Amino acid sequence: MLIIPAIDLKDGQCVRLEQGRMASATVFSAKPGEAAAQWAAKGAKRLHVVDLNGAIAGKPRNEAAVKEIVAAVDSDVPIQLGGGIRDLETIERYLDGGVSYVIIGTAAVKNPGFLHEACDAFPGHIMVGLDAKDGKVATDGWSKLTKHDVIDLAKRFEDYGVEAVIYTDIGRDGMMTGINVEATVRLAQALTMPVIASGGLNHLDDIRRLCEVEPEGITGCIAGRAIYEGKLDFAEALKVAAGDA
């Protein structure tokens, strides 16, 4: 089970939000590259980076910070990046710049044809971010709730060749109230592609519960506010995920 530190970018800084609200941003580092290097040094095998401004604007807004992050970590620590990615040119630029996986969220929901094109053009490098509340998918930086059922939509995307689905329970994100394991398992059971859990990771028991259901197809978990505030010890989390604790 991968434990993936999140680096959320707002105005060039590393922040955390509560339930996606930009006004609730807490700045954890003014130097995203240093934050990335810190997690890599502590044993992270992958980093999850989100351009929050880009997610709302619909185009990249923190490319300079992304470049800092790529430069700060070894190439053997893959970076998965989302936020404001709406065209093939942007995907190509990020991949050429050292990003390993590009996450398509809002654009996948609003324009499935674009997602299909991206998977064809960049096989093995495209993930889908599905953010949901009460089983319904949200878009535009979580500001709009759609009528799309998250499982139905994910199953449609599966045939496109998506590398993985990152599933976020936006009712829990940044709130440290615990991963919604049941909803994540339901999604994973309905799919053959891997699912990465996100939203609400709070303590080691969350990781233990996810490890128990890993055979269902849950391959990783994104860690945010809890590891930044020290409520969850990252080193211990890695041990639990590896079955050593």
Side-chain angles (χ1 to χ4, degrees):
M1 173 77 64
L2 285 170
I3 308 298
I4 310 170
I7 300 177
D8 288 356
L9 300 171
K10 178 177 182 283
D11 304 331
Q13 298 178 313
C14 176
V15 306
R16 294 304 296 166
L17 308 183
E18 292 181 358
Q19 296 181 314
R21 296 189 295 265
M22 292 290 271
S24 71
T26 300
V27 177
F28 284 103
S29 175
K31 297 181 178 180
E34 289 186 3
Q38 169 194 337
W39 296 124
K42 291 185 177 182
K45 302 300 183 186
R46 186 182 296 183
L47 296 174
H48 177 78
V49 180
V50 179
D51 179 348
L52 296 171
N53 303 103
I56 292 173
K59 54 186 174 182
R61 287 289 190 242
N62 285 283
E63 285 194 72
V66 172
K67 288 179 181 177
E68 284 181 33
I69 291 168
V70 171
V73 299
D74 293 333
S75 58
D76 59 351
V77 180
I79 294 167
Q80 56 189 49
L81 169 71
I85 298 169
R86 305 284 195 272
D87 57 67
L88 297 181
E89 182 181 348
T90 300
I91 296 173
E92 185 173 25
R93 190 166 67 248
Y94 276 137
L95 293 177
D96 286 347
V99 171
S100 298
Y101 304 102
V102 166
I103 305 161
I104 301 176
T106 294
V109 180
K110 292 186 172 182
N111 185 5
F114 165 61
L115 175 65
H116 205 166
E117 288 178 2
C119 290
D120 286 345
F122 308 103
H125 295 283
I126 305 299
M127 296 181 173
V128 167
L130 291 179
D131 309 321
K133 186 174 183 180
D134 300 325
K136 300 300 180 183
V137 175
T139 62
D140 298 280
W142 303 353
S143 62
K144 298 177 183 177
L145 199 62
T146 73
K147 295 181 180 179
H148 292 294
D149 179 84
V150 66
I151 292 178
D152 290 345
L153 201 58
K155 289 173 77 171
R156 280 179 57 194
F157 295 159
E158 191 164 33
D159 292 336
Y160 295 179
V162 170
E163 183 71 13
V165 170
I166 298 170
Y167 173 65
T168 304
D169 183 330
I170 63 176
R172 302 196 184 201
D173 188 78
M175 304 304 290
M176 298 193 296
T177 52
I179 290 278
N180 189 336
V181 176
E182 293 77 13
T184 307
V185 168
R186 283 196 298 272
L187 178 61
Q189 288 175 334
L191 304 172
T192 58
M193 60 183 167
V195 173
I196 296 172
S198 175
L201 181 68
N202 188 36
H203 42 64
L204 294 176
D205 283 344
D206 287 326
I207 297 171
R208 292 188 182 99
R209 291 179 68 200
L210 285 172
C211 286
E212 289 174 0
V213 295
E214 187 174 3
E216 303 291 350
I218 301 168
T219 59
C221 177
I222 294 169
R225 182 176 289 271
I227 58 172
Y228 281 95
E229 294 188 351
K231 189 165 186 179
L232 177 67
D233 183 278
F234 185 62
E236 287 299 313
L238 292 179
K239 288 180 182 178
V240 171
D244 297 331

